[in-house]
Structure formats: structure tokens, C-alpha cells
């Protein structure tokens, strides 16, 4: 509290990276707020206006049927019929022959991803291994999603909205401008994200 300050910070982050939450399901922890049902509905409506999808609620009292499901420590507090996710065949790499356009999301949790073109702003690549981009990286790239701290991200033109390796993430405003427009590689070293030119 006050929520107005929190929303101001959220809006500032969305202004810098408008697609930050696109296609992502979020768990909202409201235990510190202890909102009344009407206030909680208003909060959810404000988040929906910002295109933020709430998958579940933590720290809330039992709500209406139209509310997201209640969770405790990230787990359902009641029985939910969750879809069965088929296991993917074991593979080592995925090659995208062209570019990844804005709004597209490429998820390959079992190995490396190679993009022969560019990754546009608003696009996302998520790989269990490393990510290699032979064009410009303007969207989001998350490598090592299979808990692989040795994964790397390499691109010919460095202009990302967001980078992640294993469980560490850096947004555009945290990267500086010294590598902008240059070939670059990103890796983990001592629990921190490192970046360097490939020139």
C-alpha cells in the first residue's frame, strides 16, 4: 500500500517493456493486502486492463466462482482438473529457418534453439539449452530453462527487451547501451549474468 504507487511502478515497467507480461500466467499474492472481495475484484480488473492474466490467488479468502482459483504455496487449495501435459520426445536442438515475429513464442525445453533470422520486439524464445540468433535480438530470450546454468545466448545484433539464463533475468533498462547493435554473448558467471561483445 498504497496500491496507486504500486500501479505507478508497474505502469512505468510496462512503458519500458510493453510486452513484459504478454502470454504469461501470474500468481497474485494478496496476503499482505487482506483485501475485501470488492477491492480484490477491482484489483483484478485493473490488472486485466493492463493485459496481465492472473492464474491463481494466494492469501485471499474464498471468493466468487468467477475469481481465479485459490492457491497455497503455489499449490491448489482445492482439487482442480489440470490438463495432462504430454512428455516431449528427447531432442537436442530446434532450428527456426526464418525470423520470429512479434507476438510469437517459441518454447523448446529439451535443448538449444537456433534462429536463422531475427527475433522481433514482442517475440519470445525459451530454450532448455542455449539460444543462437543469427540476426537481431529485439524481443525476449530465456536460455537454460531446464535448470541449465551453462546455457548461453548469442546474437548478431544486441537489442533485447529481456534476457534470462537459468532463473536469473535482466530487463532492457538493466543492460546499459555499450553492446547495443553489436554482436554479443550472454552467460552466467558466479551466479550473475555476464555480457560481452563477440567482435
Amino acid at each position: 500500500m498504497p496500491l496507486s504507487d504500486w500501479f505507478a511502478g508497474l505502469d512505468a515497467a510496462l512503458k519500458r517493456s510493453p510486452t513484459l507480461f504478454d502470454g504469461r500466467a501470474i500468481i497474485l499474492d494478496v496476503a499482505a493486502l487482506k483485501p475485501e472481495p470488492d477491492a480484490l475484484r477491482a484489483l483484478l480488473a485493473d490488472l486485466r486492463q493492463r493485459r496481465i492474466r492472473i492464474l491463481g490467488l494466494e492469501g485471499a479468502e474464498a471468493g466468487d466462482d468467477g475469481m481465479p482459483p485459490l492457491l497455497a504455496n503455489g499449490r491448489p487449495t482445492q482439487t482442480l482438473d489440470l490438463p495432462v501435459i504430454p512428455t516431449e520426445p528427447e531432442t537436442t536442438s530446434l532450428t527456426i529457418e526464418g525470423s520470429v515475429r512479434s507476438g510469437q513464442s517459441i518454447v523448446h525445453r529439451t535443448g538449444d534453439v537456433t534462429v536463422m533470422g531475427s527475433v522481433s520486439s514482442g517475440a519470445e524464445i525459451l530454450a532448455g539449452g542455449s539460444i543462437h540468433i543469427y540476426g537481431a535480438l529485439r524481443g525476449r530470450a530465456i536460455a537454460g530453462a531446464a535448470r541449465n546454468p551453462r546455457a548461453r545466448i548469442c546474437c548478431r545484433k544486441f537489442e533485447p527487451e529481456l534476457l534470462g539464463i537459468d532463473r536469473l533475468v535482466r530487463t532492457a533498462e538493466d543492460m546499459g547501451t555499450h553492446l547495443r547493435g553489436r554482436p554479443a554473448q550472454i552467460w552466467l558467471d558466479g551466479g550473475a549474468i555476464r555480457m560481452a561483445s563477440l567482435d
Side-chain angles (χ1 to χ4, degrees):
M1 295 296 277
L3 280 179
S4 57
D5 291 350
W6 185 79
F7 272 117
L10 177 63
D11 289 339
L14 289 172
K15 187 173 182 181
R16 290 190 299 268
S17 186
T19 59
L20 188 60
F21 292 104
D22 282 7
R24 299 191 181 279
I26 308 297
I27 295 174
L28 182 65
D29 185 350
V30 294
L33 290 176
K34 298 181 175 57
E36 295 293 326
D38 288 343
L40 181 56
R41 277 191 288 274
L43 174 60
L44 293 170
D46 286 338
L47 291 170
R48 275 195 301 273
Q49 286 178 350
R50 291 165 172 84
R51 298 189 315 171
I52 298 175
R53 177 178 162 230
I54 303 300
L55 174 70
L57 294 171
E58 284 204 16
E61 299 296 327
D64 303 338
D65 289 339
M67 297 280 237
L70 299 180
L71 307 174
N73 296 321
R75 299 180 184 279
T77 58
Q78 57 200 16
T79 302
L80 296 176
D81 293 327
L82 298 176
V84 176
I85 301 174
T87 56
E88 293 185 43
E90 188 172 333
T91 58
T92 57
S93 64
L94 172 68
T95 301
I96 309 297
E97 293 294 341
S99 293
V100 183
R101 297 185 304 276
S102 180
Q104 285 187 299
S105 180
I106 305 297
V107 177
H108 184 67
R109 297 182 184 276
T110 57
D112 296 351
V113 173
T114 301
V115 180
M116 303 307 293
S118 297
V119 178
S120 300
S121 176
E124 178 181 68
I125 305 288
L126 187 144
S130 296
I131 298 174
H132 310 273
I133 300 166
Y134 285 87
L137 169 56
R138 297 189 178 98
R140 300 186 294 258
I142 302 166
R147 297 289 177 89
N148 179 4
R150 299 177 62 190
R152 289 182 178 242
I153 301 170
C154 299
C155 63
R156 183 168 295 196
K157 191 172 182 183
F158 183 81
E159 297 175 353
E161 295 175 339
L162 180 143
L163 295 173
I165 297 181
D166 196 3
R167 288 160 288 172
L168 297 180
V169 174
R170 300 265 300 266
T171 56
E173 59 269 17
D174 299 325
M175 298 177 205
T177 58
H178 64 289
L179 291 175
R180 189 163 185 81
R182 298 171 61 187
Q185 64 172 324
I186 302 92
W187 73 99
L188 285 187
D189 180 18
I193 292 181
R194 308 290 185 194
M195 298 178 288
S197 172
L198 284 172
D199 287 339

